[in-house]
Amino acid sequence: MLMQALACVCAILVVMPLVLVFYHLVKSGIGSLNWDFFTQLPKPVGETGGGMGNAIVGTFILLGLAACIGVPVGVLGGVYLSEYGSRLNWWIRFAADIINGVPSITWGMVVYALVVLPMKGFSAWAGGLVLGLMMIPLIMRTTEEVLQLIPGGYREAALALGISKWRMCVQIIIRTALKGILTGVLLAVARVAGETAPLMFTAFGNSYWLNKLNEPIAALPLQIFEYAKSPYDDWHRQAWAGALVLLSLVLLINVSVRVLTRDRFRKSQ
């Protein structure tokens, strides 16, 4: 009973800072959330009102571009590591684990040097690329771990029936592990949704609606950063509101992950 009480206290201590952060965001930002905040552009410097509509849309565009880049590469890389053994597998896993620990600002500097400078301008493409590259190692390692949980009998039965290996991977292994793969994808999206540093070197930010993907684009993390360091009280209030929206988005993604994995967890019981 003593150890149970101690474990319960430790769990409460872990959760309490998260609850306090969410409470403070709600308290500071809920008053600035209105229809204008979600639909209007930012007002010029010194004027009150406006919103972050362009930043909210820009965040979804960047996450969409990142998913188009990171998900196929990450999933196929995980399938290769799990189903097609070679001498390179250990080195690929080692590189992925190392890359997972690289600071996000380093990713931004690399893409800035390799993409932004040759293109002679910041763009949504560069912002989506840097977020997609950050997603790849996380999705790849998660996909590999999920596929390795599939019983070997599934593979043996499929191959014994004369099914080719690539069809076995696509129609049996991946379909069986689809929920787990989707969980890894959503976790990777949540991981990059709040990144600011790499977008400063690639997307740069924009005070207007996006017209083309080869021009700078606004994003919630960038807008929050700009507003938070400004001397205007109205911008500070909007920064709190933007942080609340961003946290709610990440929370929604994590709740979706729990819903997707709930059935699998119950079956394992």
Side-chain angles (χ1 to χ4, degrees):
M1 292 178 62
L2 177 62
M3 294 306 299
Q4 287 181 353
L6 182 60
C8 182
V9 171
C10 292
I12 293 174
L13 291 176
V14 170
V15 175
M16 187 60 66
L18 302 178
V19 175
L20 292 176
V21 168
F22 188 73
Y23 169 76
H24 189 69
L25 283 178
V26 172
K27 179 181 177 182
S28 302
I30 194 68
S32 298
L33 290 179
N34 50 45
W35 183 251
D36 291 342
F37 180 84
F38 291 97
T39 58
Q40 291 191 6
L41 295 174
K43 290 292 185 181
V45 177
E47 295 187 17
T48 59
M52 294 188 180
N54 61 329
I56 296 173
V57 174
T59 297
F60 282 104
I61 292 175
L62 288 174
L63 292 179
L65 292 174
C68 291
I69 296 171
V71 173
V73 178
V75 171
L76 291 177
V79 171
Y80 175 80
L81 292 178
S82 175
E83 306 300 324
Y84 297 88
S86 71
R87 298 180 180 178
L88 295 176
N89 282 22
W90 186 89
W91 294 103
I92 295 175
R93 294 189 187 97
F94 180 74
D97 293 337
I98 294 296
I99 291 174
N100 266 328
V102 173
S104 59
I105 192 171
T106 305
W107 283 106
M109 296 173 65
V110 170
V111 176
Y112 175 80
L114 298 180
V115 178
V116 176
L117 289 181
M119 292 178 60
K120 298 181 180 180
F122 303 97
S123 65
W125 289 116
L129 175 62
V130 70
L131 297 182
L133 292 177
M134 294 174 62
M135 290 172 60
I136 289 175
L138 181 57
I139 294 176
M140 183 171 65
R141 294 292 282 138
T142 304
T143 300
E144 180 192 7
E145 295 297 330
V146 171
L147 293 181
Q148 288 180 349
L149 296 177
I150 304 299
Y154 286 29
R155 299 172 176 83
E156 295 172 359
L159 296 175
L161 292 173
I163 300 176
S164 59
K165 191 168 185 177
W166 73 268
R167 290 190 63 184
M168 178 266 294
C169 292
V170 173
Q171 297 183 354
I172 298 176
I173 303 302
I174 294 179
R175 288 184 63 180
T176 305
L178 188 59
K179 284 189 175 181
I181 294 173
L182 184 57
T183 298
V185 171
L186 291 177
L187 289 176
V189 171
R191 158 78 170 78
V192 302
E195 290 292 345
T196 305
L199 296 182
M200 295 174 62
F201 289 89
T202 54
F204 190 69
N206 193 345
S207 298
Y208 305 98
W209 298 107
L210 182 71
N211 295 318
K212 296 180 293 185
L213 293 178
N214 59 352
E215 63 183 22
I217 184 174
L220 272 175
L222 291 175
Q223 202 83 354
I224 294 169
F225 175 74
E226 292 295 330
Y227 278 19
K229 69 178 184 179
S230 72
Y232 307 108
D233 292 336
D234 186 65
W235 281 16
H236 291 168
R237 288 191 292 269
Q238 292 200 36
W240 286 115
L244 177 60
V245 172
L246 184 60
L247 181 63
S248 300
L249 173 63
V250 175
L251 179 62
L252 178 62
I253 293 175
N254 282 275
V255 170
S256 302
V257 170
R258 299 301 300 177
V259 171
L260 289 172
T261 57
R262 182 177 56 187
D263 295 339
R264 185 158 58 98
F265 176 76
R266 286 180 177 176
K267 290 178 181 179
S268 66
Q269 296 294 319

